[in-house]
Amino acid sequence: WLLGTALVLAGVGGAAEAGIGALANVLGVDTHWADGLPEDLLWDPPWQIVLGVLDTVVWTPFVEELTFRGLLYGTLRTQTGPPLAAMASASIFAIAHGYGPTGFLSVLISGLLWAIAYERTRSLLPGILAHAANNLSVTVTYLLLLRF
């Protein structure tokens, strides 16, 4: 059940990101929203790349989901209720990433989806797995484009 939820989250998040990119292109909005060229993927030795990928795909989703959905959302929902807590925690999550407008919207939607999943399942696991899948997708794309 939790794994299925994670797969749905990853699919919906990926579709939302593609939709945001397509809409931005139609509107003539710059769609580059990454935080810069990951030079480490270009120049670091393979063992450091493996450690960086593990950090991005395993450690970061765990820490960010624990922080933004577990602690922040969990605390806010006791004070404001689930809808406002989800929006507030997702907004802070998006701001913390420091991306441009399209990146902010993409991360905001992911944060909302992961908060909803946490609310429904009472588990951080679906959000952690979807977050890991998202980070893996981006990292593999960078590796394929820059390294191989």
Side-chain angles (χ1 to χ4, degrees):
W1 154 248
L2 294 177
L3 181 59
T5 302
L7 291 172
V8 169
L9 288 174
V12 171
E17 189 171 317
I20 291 166
L23 181 61
N25 285 337
V26 167
L27 297 175
V29 176
D30 182 20
T31 60
H32 176 75
W33 58 271
D35 54 355
L37 177 68
E39 292 183 21
D40 55 331
L41 294 180
L42 281 172
W43 309 114
D44 282 355
W47 69 270
Q48 282 183 319
I49 290 173
V50 169
L51 290 179
V53 169
L54 287 174
D55 177 57
T56 300
V57 175
V58 177
W59 181 247
T60 299
F62 175 77
V63 170
E64 287 185 355
E65 291 310 304
L66 182 64
T67 302
F68 290 101
R69 255 58 67 192
L71 297 174
L72 183 58
Y73 171 77
T75 300
L76 290 173
R77 85 180 281 283
T78 65
Q79 303 297 316
T80 66
L84 189 55
M87 183 55 79
S89 64
S91 296
I92 294 168
F93 177 64
I95 290 167
H97 280 76
Y99 299 144
T102 55
F104 174 88
L105 185 58
S106 177
V107 174
L108 176 75
I109 290 170
S110 292
L112 286 169
L113 290 171
W114 300 335
I116 292 166
Y118 176 59
E119 181 67 29
R120 292 201 176 262
T121 65
R122 294 289 191 237
S123 173
L124 292 172
L125 189 60
I128 291 169
L129 294 174
H131 196 153
N134 183 18
N135 287 6
L136 179 63
S137 163
V138 170
T139 302
V140 166
T141 300
Y142 272 135
L143 284 171
L144 291 174
L145 291 173
L146 300 176
R147 190 76 182 217
F148 302 107

